Amino acid sequence: MSEFQFNIVPDDQLKSCERSYNTEAECAGSVSTSTQFNYAFCLVHASRQEDVRKSIPILLALCRPGTDHRDFVYFLSLAYYRLGEYEKALTQAKRVLAMEPNNSQATRLLGAIQAKLRTEGALGMAIVTGGVAIGVGLAAILTGALIRR
């Protein structure tokens, strides 16, 4: 499976959403759900990982009981995916599909997450196997050296 595709938000659009978010927070004392979501959306699609990471607490707050909207959960899953936190991304993608089983975006994201997890699992096994092989080789060398004494 190829890498999951998403668009990167231009910096000027991100800054505009951030200004709206901050202005609303300063003037009104709270930020509307739509402004929070717009800002989180831009953060999830930002080019810098530190910006993507900023989206997590906003999306988690939006996903509280009674407001557990599938878009909030989907973009939370995408944020975790972009940060390489595949287990968390998997959990959230499954939540979206529990809400909306035929959601094609969530289905594609779930496939990409599972592919990453398989790749990481295979890499982990290769590292463990390589470590074991090195350990066995060292043991054989040491055993041979002790026997020759």
Side-chain angles (χ1 to χ4, degrees):
M1 167 172 256
S2 64
E3 186 72 22
F4 187 75
Q5 299 294 310
F6 50 87
N7 295 321
I8 298 296
V9 169
D11 283 342
D12 60 332
Q13 185 178 349
L14 174 59
K15 288 185 188 334
S16 174
C17 286
E18 183 176 32
R19 271 192 306 278
S20 295
Y21 181 90
N22 290 334
T23 299
E24 205 170 300
E26 290 167 10
C27 294
S30 65
V31 182
S32 70
T33 299
S34 64
T35 300
Q36 288 180 64
F37 179 67
N38 289 339
Y39 183 40
F41 175 91
C42 286
L43 289 168
V44 169
H45 291 87
S47 60
R48 294 176 298 277
Q49 283 216 324
E50 60 268 16
D51 288 329
V52 176
R53 188 160 303 286
K54 285 187 216 175
S55 72
I56 301 286
I58 297 168
L59 290 164
L60 285 170
L62 290 170
C63 290
R64 64 187 181 276
T67 60
D68 206 11
H69 191 277
R70 73 167 169 82
D71 287 340
F72 304 158
V73 180
Y74 172 80
F75 286 106
L76 181 58
S77 180
L78 182 57
Y80 283 132
Y81 175 83
R82 292 211 50 218
L83 294 170
E85 297 180 29
Y86 301 122
E87 290 293 338
K88 290 179 180 179
L90 180 67
T91 298
Q92 301 309 319
K94 287 180 177 179
R95 282 180 63 199
V96 174
L97 291 169
M99 289 180 239
E100 192 175 294
N102 296 321
N103 185 301
S104 61
Q105 279 185 309
T107 300
R108 284 193 307 276
L109 180 56
L110 179 66
I113 295 164
Q114 290 171 331
K116 289 287 189 179
L117 287 169
R118 279 191 301 274
T119 301
E120 281 191 352
L123 179 60
M125 286 303 295
I127 291 170
V128 168
T129 302
V132 169
I134 290 170
V136 168
L138 287 174
I141 290 170
L142 291 173
T143 302
L146 289 174
I147 292 173
R148 280 185 284 234
R149 279 185 163 194

